[in-house]
């Protein structure tokens, strides 16, 4: 998405990212949801990027959202900033303090357990490690199925009638998860084992804030082959 003409420098929004990153995807979905015009800057070599080193000297990672001249780092932190800064569009986090705490808890869980398990399967040194990582990822899906049933309250998304914090946090992992399903033969999101997540996935992909920025699965497959260089890819 390009910047609108006449945007004040203090409101000028840029996003430093890389297309395969699920964490960058989160930010793009949030900005789309809030209808925030922004300039997307693809960083092909994030480890040696002068912009990344300049705006995130501590972690040297993307995404980095630059609002005016203010850099905001770390994807979940960025989601909260976007939600609090732009009131246009639906809220990303619930208004109730307890529900907000629950949403933050599950997004941290997704990063610390689900994403690490996805990587764990890809980099497993042997079949035993691979089975352990797959079992952990299946456990993650089971817990997220229960969480969906509790948080959605019978509606279409974790956030209720529209996508919210957990939807964006977990939805950004669907690309890597689908790549993993394709090459392991294991269906982590299944209509019988995880029926809520199974139908939620279709709704998430079709959402107007998601559809234009979701990476192509075949491109992700090729990226994974090059990155991990393992037998499963």
């Amino acid at each position: 998405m390009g910047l609108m003409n006449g945007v004040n420098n203090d409101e000028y929004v840029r996003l430093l990212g890389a297309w395969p990153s699920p964490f960058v995807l989160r930010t793009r979905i949030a900005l789309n949801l809030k209808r925030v015009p922004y300039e997307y800057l693809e960083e092909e070599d994030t480890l040696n990027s002068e912009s990344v080193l300049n705006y995130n000297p501590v972690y040297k990672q993307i995404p980095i959202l630059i609002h005016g001249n203010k850099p905001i780092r770390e994807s979940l932190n960025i989601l909260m900033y976007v939600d609090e800064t732009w009131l246009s569009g639906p809220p990303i986090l619930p208004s109730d303090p307890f529900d907000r705490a629950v949403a933050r808890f599950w997004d941290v869980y997704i990063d610390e357990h689900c994403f690490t398990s996805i990587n764990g399967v890809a980099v497993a040194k042997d079949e035993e490690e691979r089975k352990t990582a797959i079992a952990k990822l299946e456990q993650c899906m089971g817990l997220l199925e229960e969480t969906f049933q509790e948080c959605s309250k019978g509606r279409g998304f974790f956030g209720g009638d529209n996508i919210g914090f957990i939807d964006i946090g977990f939805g950004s992992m669907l690309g890597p998860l689908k790549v993993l399903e394709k090459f392991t033969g294991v269906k982590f999101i299944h209509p019988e084992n995880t029926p809520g997540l199974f139908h939620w996935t279709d709704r998430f992909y079709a959402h107007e804030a998601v559809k234009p920025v979701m990476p192509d699965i075949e491109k992700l497959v090729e990226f994974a082959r090059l990155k991990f260089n393992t037998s499963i890819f």
Side-chain angles (χ1 to χ4, degrees), residues 79 86 95 133 135 193 232:
L79 292 189
W86 290 282
S95 58
N193 299 333
I232 70 164

Side-chain angles (χ1 to χ4, degrees), residues 35-225:
R35 300 180 178 88
V36 178
Y38 66 97
E39 180 182 9
Y40 177 67
L41 301 170
E42 180 77 16
E43 296 288 339
E44 294 184 0
D45 184 5
T46 57
L47 293 177
N48 297 300
S49 165
E50 185 175 338
S51 295
V52 173
L53 294 176
N54 181 43
Y55 285 112
N56 193 359
V58 177
Y59 290 112
K60 304 176 179 65
Q61 294 175 338
I62 51 171
I64 304 168
L65 183 72
I66 306 166
H67 186 196
N69 288 315
K70 299 176 294 187
I72 303 94
R73 313 163 186 96
E74 299 295 302
S75 65
L76 298 183
N77 189 42
I78 292 172
L79 292 189
M80 289 185 280
Y81 179 86
V82 169
D83 194 35
E84 294 168 2
T85 302
W86 290 282
L87 302 180
S88 55
I92 294 173
L93 276 156
S95 58
D96 180 80
F98 176 76
D99 291 340
R100 289 170 71 90
V102 168
R104 289 194 294 264
F105 171 86
W106 282 110
D107 267 17
V108 171
Y109 174 85
I110 288 163
D111 285 358
E112 292 183 353
H113 296 276
C114 301
F115 181 68
T116 54
S117 295
I118 290 171
N119 273 340
V121 176
V123 301
K125 296 181 179 66
D126 52 44
E127 187 62 20
E128 191 63 32
E129 273 193 20
R130 181 168 170 269
K131 285 181 179 179
T132 300
I134 286 174
K136 185 177 179 182
L137 188 53
E138 288 176 326
Q139 183 183 34
C140 290
M141 295 305 105
L143 287 173
L144 287 173
E145 173 69 19
E146 294 175 10
T147 302
F148 175 77
Q149 301 298 343
E150 292 172 7
C151 292
S152 67
K153 298 179 176 65
R155 291 176 288 178
F157 299 97
F158 285 92
D161 293 323
N162 211 328
I163 62 174
F165 200 63
I166 306 177
D167 296 280
I168 297 172
F170 180 46
S172 65
M173 301 295 167
L174 289 176
L177 197 60
K178 284 180 177 291
V179 171
L180 212 57
E181 286 185 335
K182 185 169 184 177
F183 288 98
T184 62
V186 179
K187 291 296 181 184
F188 296 101
I189 297 179
H190 192 277
E192 293 181 5
N193 299 333
T194 54
L197 293 182
F198 183 80
H199 295 293
W200 165 84
T201 298
D202 290 337
R203 289 189 292 271
F204 183 81
Y205 265 95
H207 195 282
E208 63 179 0
V210 177
K211 195 173 182 179
V213 292
M214 207 67 172
D216 178 75
I217 296 301
E218 292 306 316
K219 284 184 66 178
L220 282 176
V221 167
E222 291 306 312
F223 173 79
R225 282 192 175 125

